[in-house]
Amino acid sequence: MWVFLTLIISGDFAAKFGIRYLFLDPEYLGEGGGEAFFFLGLAFGCFFLTWNLTTYLLSAQFFPFLASLAHPFSKFCLNNLVLPLSFSVFYFFSVVFFQGIFNEVASAHLFRILSGYMGGFVSMLFLYFLYFRFTNRDIRYFTKKDQQDQPELAIVPGRRDIDLEYIKQDKNRWRVDTYLNESFRSRLVRSVAHYDSKLLMGIFRQNHLNALIIQLATILIIMLLGLLTDNPMFRIPAGASILFLFSILTAIIGAVTYWFNQWRVTIITLMLLLVNMLTSNNLGHYGNKAYGLNYQSNLTDYNYQKLRNLVMSDQVEIDKAATMAILEKWKEKAWAATGKKPTMVLLSVSGGGLRSATWSMKVIQEADSLLGGKLFQNTVLITGASGGMLGMAYLRELYWRHKRGDTLEYYDEEYIDDISKDLLNPIAFTLVANDLFLPRSQFELGGHAYYKDRAYVFERQLNENTQMWMDRAISEYREAEKEADIPMLYVTPAIVNDARRMIISPQGVSFMMIAPVGTAHDQTVEVDAVDFGWLFKDQGADSLRFSTALRMNATYPYILPNVHLPSDPKIEVMDAGFRDNYGLLSATRFLQVFRHWIMENTGGVVLVQIGSSEKIKKIKSSDRKGMVSSLLNPVEIAANLLSLQEFEHDNSLGFIYDLYGPEFFQLIRFMYHPGRNNKIMASISFHLTEREKEVVLEAIEEPENKASMKRLIESLGYVTATPPLGVNMDNQKDE
């Protein structure tokens, strides 16, 4: 675990996810500084002592001379300090380097954060050693009276595989000649051959019992704190939560090893199998739910024949007609503003945590401002994944409020500050303090009960960060979309069971479930998506919380739990990036379905793609690979999931270009990448440091993005486009 922590902080492990920043620049209550580092120091103190307690449990018998000294555990910790001290020096250097070089903080601020860290660390040490001061017994206590008067020696539990005479045999134990005392003075090790072996072992066992008690108490305290996650005061820095998690794992592994020794692997394996068996039978397994849906009523059937029947029914034409009515209203409003055929805009945003949320908002704010509000006015549909959709959903909400007369300017950077606020700290702490032991508390919504877990805390924090403006049912956007007051927005999480996309919208979207040819010619193509509103209409699809839909769309594995839906068989959904990290599948399907209407009623189509990572990636070399490394070559392509998606998306875009013609269709990309002078690549995470946010916002000034902005402004100049030569618009079929 020390090595793992070192790799994290050095950036050699999971650097692109920004885990190192959780330790180098933590936040508490939205602020970095001394308080955040205090909690980090507190958690490190817990991990440091838990590690020492565990190693003391497992190896104290190798140092029998400790039993003859006063305060043996204190001396053990002091002489076991090399590894923690080396890590601490490395960590302090990393903090100073990061804060001083990258964040460019003043020396006074640097002193405050380091003082806060040390304050937390020393506080935890004090609490632990205060406990051991009054509970641990050393040889002085046991030699005051006759050993027969000390029943503790007979009843204190301990490992059963240690020969009492073993601890006095110099040839079988580790050689130690000297040790440091509490005054950091070197002392010679004295022989303990003249002591009774039972006396020495009794001291260790009594110390071990206290160690087990304090470890159990620590775990219970962390579990109790998990009940208080609704209170922002208990949403401690994510780095501290990781250290608490390491403490729990160390304590559990140490306890199992202490009691079962050579059987520890077998016992741990049996425990995991038992947990899996119990949870697979719904005993202790709660399964995260979509807030707003009814799980008590009859479950909806989910099977391929049901999906096939829908796409071959009249419902597809009904939903298409309803959406074309929305497009007609959009055209009337856009045409009234210019007197010309409007250019249709579709926005497609990528996943990428708060980096993508911040970048997407910045691009659209900038573009809409330069266009005098024409960008949102011309936008028909917003699609995407994960973080990008968090940003666009919030910006659409701001735009809607602005149109209704609220006194807000949705171009203000304060709203970027809102969406870039931390989401990871409450998730991480709830995972460690609550979800690891299975959620225990519940909340009620719409007459239905749901468990409070990290998904609940994520939504609560997201709503708090965005002024509670998106804390509404998804159906509350239906009329605004119908009247074309705001763009439609498709949320598309992936179904784990069969890899189809679940399309969530307040409008009927059955036409998005299959390519248009599939509705006219049966058995030609597969149903590759599901209309959420249709499938769960009897389970209260209209009552689904909008924040839950966004969370389903951003369910990064392990960070957030997969959402289980009320169907038979039960299906679960996860991050949209599993199928479509850029939202282009939905955008191109929409353009394909409504091609006839679009070419007849608009002056052209602009698809704006906002990506949070480089499109062209460096080609890795396969040279100098050993035989073992080469065995992994066939599966390495799976690690290039996003690159594979981009190739498929480019294929779809090429198809759209062929359908519409390059004179009628344009693709404009805005891609985030740090400038040449920036030393930081913003991480893909639900946490952004202030410096990372600055780097993301500065990317709008990159030459490639400036060129894209110029093209976008020129494209929305309301110049009427004409269909490509040779295209007959009369009685054109949508196929």
Side-chain angles (χ1 to χ4, degrees), residues 334-359:
W335 205 330
T338 63
K340 299 178 181 180
K341 284 185 177 182
T343 300
M344 176 182 285
V345 177
L346 284 78
L347 303 180
S348 172
V349 297
S350 77
L354 295 187
R355 179 177 85 182
S356 184
T358 302
W359 173 237

PDB file of all heavy atoms in Angstrom, residues 334-359:
ATOM      1  N   ALA A 334     -37.292  30.434 -35.385  1.00  0.00           N
ATOM      2  CA  ALA A 334     -36.005  30.817 -35.965  1.00  0.00           C
ATOM      3  C   ALA A 334     -36.200  31.628 -37.240  1.00  0.00           C
ATOM      4  O   ALA A 334     -35.470  32.596 -37.496  1.00  0.00           O
ATOM      5  CB  ALA A 334     -35.182  29.562 -36.251  1.00  0.00           C
ATOM      6  N   TRP A 335     -37.189  31.257 -38.050  1.00  0.00           N
ATOM      7  CA  TRP A 335     -37.446  31.969 -39.302  1.00  0.00           C
ATOM      8  C   TRP A 335     -37.977  33.377 -39.011  1.00  0.00           C
ATOM      9  O   TRP A 335     -37.639  34.345 -39.700  1.00  0.00           O
ATOM     10  CB  TRP A 335     -38.447  31.191 -40.149  1.00  0.00           C
ATOM     11  CG  TRP A 335     -38.333  31.484 -41.621  1.00  0.00           C
ATOM     12  CD1 TRP A 335     -37.933  32.642 -42.213  1.00  0.00           C
ATOM     13  CD2 TRP A 335     -38.614  30.582 -42.689  1.00  0.00           C
ATOM     14  NE1 TRP A 335     -37.944  32.534 -43.557  1.00  0.00           N
ATOM     15  CE2 TRP A 335     -38.366  31.272 -43.893  1.00  0.00           C
ATOM     16  CE3 TRP A 335     -39.062  29.269 -42.750  1.00  0.00           C
ATOM     17  CZ2 TRP A 335     -38.559  30.689 -45.149  1.00  0.00           C
ATOM     18  CZ3 TRP A 335     -39.245  28.697 -43.994  1.00  0.00           C
ATOM     19  CH2 TRP A 335     -38.993  29.387 -45.183  1.00  0.00           C
ATOM     20  N   ALA A 336     -38.801  33.493 -37.980  1.00  0.00           N
ATOM     21  CA  ALA A 336     -39.350  34.804 -37.636  1.00  0.00           C
ATOM     22  C   ALA A 336     -38.251  35.786 -37.255  1.00  0.00           C
ATOM     23  O   ALA A 336     -38.388  36.997 -37.451  1.00  0.00           O
ATOM     24  CB  ALA A 336     -40.344  34.658 -36.484  1.00  0.00           C
ATOM     25  N   ALA A 337     -37.155  35.271 -36.730  1.00  0.00           N
ATOM     26  CA  ALA A 337     -36.066  36.148 -36.298  1.00  0.00           C
ATOM     27  C   ALA A 337     -35.211  36.628 -37.459  1.00  0.00           C
ATOM     28  O   ALA A 337     -34.536  37.664 -37.355  1.00  0.00           O
ATOM     29  CB  ALA A 337     -35.184  35.411 -35.290  1.00  0.00           C
ATOM     30  N   THR A 338     -35.215  35.875 -38.581  1.00  0.00           N
ATOM     31  CA  THR A 338     -34.310  36.211 -39.690  1.00  0.00           C
ATOM     32  C   THR A 338     -34.999  36.380 -41.027  1.00  0.00           C
ATOM     33  O   THR A 338     -34.471  37.030 -41.923  1.00  0.00           O
ATOM     34  CB  THR A 338     -33.253  35.107 -39.844  1.00  0.00           C
ATOM     35  OG1 THR A 338     -33.900  33.882 -40.183  1.00  0.00           O
ATOM     36  CG2 THR A 338     -32.462  34.926 -38.554  1.00  0.00           C
ATOM     37  N   GLY A 339     -36.178  35.757 -41.178  1.00  0.00           N
ATOM     38  CA  GLY A 339     -36.854  35.812 -42.469  1.00  0.00           C
ATOM     39  C   GLY A 339     -36.277  34.851 -43.487  1.00  0.00           C
ATOM     40  O   GLY A 339     -36.626  34.917 -44.668  1.00  0.00           O
ATOM     41  N   LYS A 340     -35.408  33.960 -43.043  1.00  0.00           N
ATOM     42  CA  LYS A 340     -34.784  32.990 -43.936  1.00  0.00           C
ATOM     43  C   LYS A 340     -34.851  31.595 -43.310  1.00  0.00           C
ATOM     44  O   LYS A 340     -35.108  31.454 -42.118  1.00  0.00           O
ATOM     45  CB  LYS A 340     -33.326  33.359 -44.201  1.00  0.00           C
ATOM     46  CG  LYS A 340     -33.140  34.707 -44.876  1.00  0.00           C
ATOM     47  CD  LYS A 340     -31.656  35.010 -45.052  1.00  0.00           C
ATOM     48  CE  LYS A 340     -31.473  36.372 -45.713  1.00  0.00           C
ATOM     49  NZ  LYS A 340     -30.032  36.709 -45.895  1.00  0.00           N
ATOM     50  N   LYS A 341     -34.587  30.610 -44.139  1.00  0.00           N
ATOM     51  CA  LYS A 341     -34.520  29.258 -43.610  1.00  0.00           C
ATOM     52  C   LYS A 341     -33.401  29.181 -42.569  1.00  0.00           C
ATOM     53  O   LYS A 341     -32.261  29.556 -42.864  1.00  0.00           O
ATOM     54  CB  LYS A 341     -34.244  28.253 -44.726  1.00  0.00           C
ATOM     55  CG  LYS A 341     -35.447  27.949 -45.609  1.00  0.00           C
ATOM     56  CD  LYS A 341     -35.103  26.848 -46.601  1.00  0.00           C
ATOM     57  CE  LYS A 341     -36.324  26.490 -47.444  1.00  0.00           C
ATOM     58  NZ  LYS A 341     -36.006  25.388 -48.392  1.00  0.00           N
ATOM     59  N   PRO A 342     -33.712  28.686 -41.396  1.00  0.00           N
ATOM     60  CA  PRO A 342     -32.682  28.647 -40.353  1.00  0.00           C
ATOM     61  C   PRO A 342     -31.701  27.491 -40.552  1.00  0.00           C
ATOM     62  O   PRO A 342     -32.033  26.475 -41.151  1.00  0.00           O
ATOM     63  CB  PRO A 342     -33.492  28.451 -39.072  1.00  0.00           C
ATOM     64  CG  PRO A 342     -34.696  27.684 -39.527  1.00  0.00           C
ATOM     65  CD  PRO A 342     -35.015  28.177 -40.905  1.00  0.00           C
ATOM     66  N   THR A 343     -30.511  27.671 -40.048  1.00  0.00           N
ATOM     67  CA  THR A 343     -29.534  26.589 -40.005  1.00  0.00           C
ATOM     68  C   THR A 343     -29.763  25.779 -38.738  1.00  0.00           C
ATOM     69  O   THR A 343     -29.809  26.334 -37.641  1.00  0.00           O
ATOM     70  CB  THR A 343     -28.098  27.146 -40.007  1.00  0.00           C
ATOM     71  OG1 THR A 343     -27.897  27.905 -41.196  1.00  0.00           O
ATOM     72  CG2 THR A 343     -27.080  26.026 -39.936  1.00  0.00           C
ATOM     73  N   MET A 344     -29.917  24.477 -38.893  1.00  0.00           N
ATOM     74  CA  MET A 344     -30.158  23.609 -37.740  1.00  0.00           C
ATOM     75  C   MET A 344     -28.828  23.241 -37.089  1.00  0.00           C
ATOM     76  O   MET A 344     -27.884  22.834 -37.766  1.00  0.00           O
ATOM     77  CB  MET A 344     -30.894  22.334 -38.153  1.00  0.00           C
ATOM     78  CG  MET A 344     -31.091  21.341 -37.006  1.00  0.00           C
ATOM     79  SD  MET A 344     -31.922  19.813 -37.512  1.00  0.00           S
ATOM     80  CE  MET A 344     -33.608  20.396 -37.666  1.00  0.00           C
ATOM     81  N   VAL A 345     -28.779  23.362 -35.765  1.00  0.00           N
ATOM     82  CA  VAL A 345     -27.577  23.034 -35.008  1.00  0.00           C
ATOM     83  C   VAL A 345     -27.867  21.864 -34.081  1.00  0.00           C
ATOM     84  O   VAL A 345     -28.896  21.835 -33.405  1.00  0.00           O
ATOM     85  CB  VAL A 345     -27.080  24.238 -34.186  1.00  0.00           C
ATOM     86  CG1 VAL A 345     -25.866  23.854 -33.333  1.00  0.00           C
ATOM     87  CG2 VAL A 345     -26.726  25.404 -35.105  1.00  0.00           C
ATOM     88  N   LEU A 346     -26.960  20.911 -34.064  1.00  0.00           N
ATOM     89  CA  LEU A 346     -26.986  19.826 -33.084  1.00  0.00           C
ATOM     90  C   LEU A 346     -25.689  19.890 -32.290  1.00  0.00           C
ATOM     91  O   LEU A 346     -24.612  20.070 -32.870  1.00  0.00           O
ATOM     92  CB  LEU A 346     -27.098  18.454 -33.755  1.00  0.00           C
ATOM     93  CG  LEU A 346     -28.476  18.050 -34.294  1.00  0.00           C
ATOM     94  CD1 LEU A 346     -28.766  18.733 -35.613  1.00  0.00           C
ATOM     95  CD2 LEU A 346     -28.559  16.536 -34.479  1.00  0.00           C
ATOM     96  N   LEU A 347     -25.797  19.782 -30.981  1.00  0.00           N
ATOM     97  CA  LEU A 347     -24.627  19.824 -30.109  1.00  0.00           C
ATOM     98  C   LEU A 347     -24.317  18.418 -29.609  1.00  0.00           C
ATOM     99  O   LEU A 347     -25.194  17.731 -29.082  1.00  0.00           O
ATOM    100  CB  LEU A 347     -24.868  20.752 -28.916  1.00  0.00           C
ATOM    101  CG  LEU A 347     -25.244  22.207 -29.225  1.00  0.00           C
ATOM    102  CD1 LEU A 347     -25.438  22.985 -27.926  1.00  0.00           C
ATOM    103  CD2 LEU A 347     -24.189  22.866 -30.086  1.00  0.00           C
ATOM    104  N   SER A 348     -23.083  18.020 -29.762  1.00  0.00           N
ATOM    105  CA  SER A 348     -22.639  16.699 -29.326  1.00  0.00           C
ATOM    106  C   SER A 348     -21.433  16.874 -28.424  1.00  0.00           C
ATOM    107  O   SER A 348     -20.402  17.404 -28.852  1.00  0.00           O
ATOM    108  CB  SER A 348     -22.275  15.846 -30.547  1.00  0.00           C
ATOM    109  OG  SER A 348     -21.676  14.640 -30.163  1.00  0.00           O
ATOM    110  N   VAL A 349     -21.555  16.445 -27.156  1.00  0.00           N
ATOM    111  CA  VAL A 349     -20.493  16.683 -26.167  1.00  0.00           C
ATOM    112  C   VAL A 349     -19.978  15.358 -25.623  1.00  0.00           C
ATOM    113  O   VAL A 349     -20.726  14.396 -25.467  1.00  0.00           O
ATOM    114  CB  VAL A 349     -20.990  17.587 -25.018  1.00  0.00           C
ATOM    115  CG1 VAL A 349     -21.361  18.963 -25.538  1.00  0.00           C
ATOM    116  CG2 VAL A 349     -22.182  16.961 -24.310  1.00  0.00           C
ATOM    117  N   SER A 350     -18.697  15.323 -25.326  1.00  0.00           N
ATOM    118  CA  SER A 350     -18.082  14.080 -24.875  1.00  0.00           C
ATOM    119  C   SER A 350     -18.105  13.963 -23.364  1.00  0.00           C
ATOM    120  O   SER A 350     -18.312  14.935 -22.637  1.00  0.00           O
ATOM    121  CB  SER A 350     -16.637  14.003 -25.372  1.00  0.00           C
ATOM    122  OG  SER A 350     -15.791  14.824 -24.589  1.00  0.00           O
ATOM    123  N   GLY A 351     -17.833  12.739 -22.895  1.00  0.00           N
ATOM    124  CA  GLY A 351     -17.638  12.524 -21.473  1.00  0.00           C
ATOM    125  C   GLY A 351     -16.241  12.953 -21.067  1.00  0.00           C
ATOM    126  O   GLY A 351     -15.400  13.276 -21.898  1.00  0.00           O
ATOM    127  N   GLY A 352     -16.004  12.938 -19.761  1.00  0.00           N
ATOM    128  CA  GLY A 352     -14.692  13.342 -19.264  1.00  0.00           C
ATOM    129  C   GLY A 352     -14.775  14.075 -17.944  1.00  0.00           C
ATOM    130  O   GLY A 352     -13.952  14.952 -17.675  1.00  0.00           O
ATOM    131  N   GLY A 353     -15.771  13.740 -17.121  1.00  0.00           N
ATOM    132  CA  GLY A 353     -15.863  14.326 -15.790  1.00  0.00           C
ATOM    133  C   GLY A 353     -16.087  15.823 -15.826  1.00  0.00           C
ATOM    134  O   GLY A 353     -16.640  16.379 -16.777  1.00  0.00           O
ATOM    135  N   LEU A 354     -15.630  16.488 -14.788  1.00  0.00           N
ATOM    136  CA  LEU A 354     -15.825  17.938 -14.687  1.00  0.00           C
ATOM    137  C   LEU A 354     -14.987  18.691 -15.707  1.00  0.00           C
ATOM    138  O   LEU A 354     -15.291  19.832 -16.035  1.00  0.00           O
ATOM    139  CB  LEU A 354     -15.486  18.415 -13.270  1.00  0.00           C
ATOM    140  CG  LEU A 354     -16.399  17.896 -12.159  1.00  0.00           C
ATOM    141  CD1 LEU A 354     -16.071  18.581 -10.838  1.00  0.00           C
ATOM    142  CD2 LEU A 354     -17.870  18.095 -12.503  1.00  0.00           C
ATOM    143  N   ARG A 355     -13.936  18.065 -16.195  1.00  0.00           N
ATOM    144  CA  ARG A 355     -13.164  18.699 -17.276  1.00  0.00           C
ATOM    145  C   ARG A 355     -14.054  18.930 -18.481  1.00  0.00           C
ATOM    146  O   ARG A 355     -14.073  20.016 -19.074  1.00  0.00           O
ATOM    147  CB  ARG A 355     -11.976  17.815 -17.659  1.00  0.00           C
ATOM    148  CG  ARG A 355     -11.124  18.380 -18.780  1.00  0.00           C
ATOM    149  CD  ARG A 355      -9.929  17.495 -19.058  1.00  0.00           C
ATOM    150  NE  ARG A 355     -10.235  16.408 -19.975  1.00  0.00           N
ATOM    151  CZ  ARG A 355      -9.363  15.484 -20.339  1.00  0.00           C
ATOM    152  NH1 ARG A 355      -8.141  15.485 -19.821  1.00  0.00           N
ATOM    153  NH2 ARG A 355      -9.694  14.541 -21.194  1.00  0.00           N
ATOM    154  N   SER A 356     -14.801  17.897 -18.869  1.00  0.00           N
ATOM    155  CA  SER A 356     -15.688  18.006 -20.019  1.00  0.00           C
ATOM    156  C   SER A 356     -16.862  18.933 -19.732  1.00  0.00           C
ATOM    157  O   SER A 356     -17.286  19.695 -20.606  1.00  0.00           O
ATOM    158  CB  SER A 356     -16.197  16.619 -20.408  1.00  0.00           C
ATOM    159  OG  SER A 356     -16.987  16.689 -21.572  1.00  0.00           O
ATOM    160  N   ALA A 357     -17.397  18.885 -18.506  1.00  0.00           N
ATOM    161  CA  ALA A 357     -18.503  19.772 -18.144  1.00  0.00           C
ATOM    162  C   ALA A 357     -18.082  21.236 -18.259  1.00  0.00           C
ATOM    163  O   ALA A 357     -18.805  22.072 -18.817  1.00  0.00           O
ATOM    164  CB  ALA A 357     -18.969  19.466 -16.722  1.00  0.00           C
ATOM    165  N   THR A 358     -16.906  21.539 -17.737  1.00  0.00           N
ATOM    166  CA  THR A 358     -16.388  22.910 -17.775  1.00  0.00           C
ATOM    167  C   THR A 358     -16.094  23.342 -19.204  1.00  0.00           C
ATOM    168  O   THR A 358     -16.448  24.449 -19.624  1.00  0.00           O
ATOM    169  CB  THR A 358     -15.115  23.007 -16.921  1.00  0.00           C
ATOM    170  OG1 THR A 358     -15.413  22.603 -15.580  1.00  0.00           O
ATOM    171  CG2 THR A 358     -14.554  24.408 -16.911  1.00  0.00           C
ATOM    172  N   TRP A 359     -15.441  22.463 -19.964  1.00  0.00           N
ATOM    173  CA  TRP A 359     -15.064  22.790 -21.340  1.00  0.00           C
ATOM    174  C   TRP A 359     -16.302  22.984 -22.219  1.00  0.00           C
ATOM    175  O   TRP A 359     -16.379  23.943 -23.015  1.00  0.00           O
ATOM    176  CB  TRP A 359     -14.172  21.681 -21.887  1.00  0.00           C
ATOM    177  CG  TRP A 359     -13.826  21.766 -23.338  1.00  0.00           C
ATOM    178  CD1 TRP A 359     -14.046  20.829 -24.289  1.00  0.00           C
ATOM    179  CD2 TRP A 359     -13.150  22.845 -24.009  1.00  0.00           C
ATOM    180  NE1 TRP A 359     -13.573  21.240 -25.504  1.00  0.00           N
ATOM    181  CE2 TRP A 359     -13.009  22.482 -25.364  1.00  0.00           C
ATOM    182  CE3 TRP A 359     -12.662  24.082 -23.590  1.00  0.00           C
ATOM    183  CZ2 TRP A 359     -12.404  23.309 -26.312  1.00  0.00           C
ATOM    184  CZ3 TRP A 359     -12.051  24.917 -24.530  1.00  0.00           C
ATOM    185  CH2 TRP A 359     -11.926  24.526 -25.866  1.00  0.00           C
TER     186      TRP A 359
END
